[in-house]
Amino acid sequence: MLHTAAIRHVKSYKQDNPAAINIVQTEDEISASFELLKIVHRYNKSNGWTLLIAPDHIPSRDLLDSCSIDTNKLLVIRRKHIVDVEYVLNCALQNGRYCAIITWTDIVNQNQLEKMQLNTHQAKAQLFCFTSDEEQAQLAVPHVM
């Protein structure tokens, strides 16, 4: 039987609900970078990998190094190198080797998030999907606070 999971809108420091899909709203690129660093730093101490399916300009290697992020536990894949992003995300969520998967709403659309929501009852990792305020107005997925 399929179980629905809550998609919640959070800042990375609000982690009281173990939902597998987390929408991280940011106002601009600077706040997105800070939130990204908080999430990566938090999961960098875990046993699993952090998978980052990212646009070309994110993250900066210098920024990660300056914040003492262990890049040996961070796997960065550029969107242009993935044929089926939904398949990759679903596999990563179910695979026990990842503790966090991070992506952006310009990479994953609303329909893909809704489909993934149905499969999160077996998720072994947290999915963080970054969105800006402008994109959030168009992304109308239900959320839990």
Side-chain angles (χ1 to χ4, degrees), residues 51 53 77 79 81-95 98 101 103 107-109 111-113 115-116 119 127:
L51 174 62
I53 299 177
I77 302 175
R79 171 59 182 110
H81 296 121
I82 299 175
V83 175
D84 187 354
V85 71
E86 188 176 341
Y87 174 77
V88 170
L89 288 171
N90 277 320
C91 288
L93 279 170
Q94 307 305 322
N95 186 323
Y98 298 101
I101 298 113
T103 192
I107 294 175
V108 179
N109 62 39
N111 292 335
Q112 291 169 321
L113 282 174
K115 286 180 189 175
M116 282 187 284
N119 297 322
L127 174 67

Side-chain angles (χ1 to χ4, degrees), residues 43-63:
Y43 285 98
N44 204 237
K45 297 173 184 172
S46 300
N47 289 333
W49 286 77
T50 300
L51 174 62
L52 192 61
I53 299 177
D56 290 334
H57 63 285
I58 300 172
S60 161
R61 175 86 181 199
D62 295 333
L63 180 62

Side-chain angles (χ1 to χ4, degrees), residues 7-55:
I7 295 178
R8 62 190 184 113
H9 299 259
V10 298
K11 293 291 184 183
S12 62
Y13 49 83
K14 295 180 183 175
Q15 295 297 320
D16 54 352
N17 186 347
I21 299 177
N22 304 281
I23 305 296
V24 182
Q25 285 182 259
T26 56
E27 296 81 31
D28 53 26
E29 284 190 35
I30 295 171
S31 61
S33 294
F34 284 131
E35 291 299 316
L36 175 65
L37 288 172
K38 288 178 193 177
I39 294 167
V40 171
H41 192 266
R42 183 173 141 212
Y43 285 98
N44 204 237
K45 297 173 184 172
S46 300
N47 289 333
W49 286 77
T50 300
L51 174 62
L52 192 61
I53 299 177

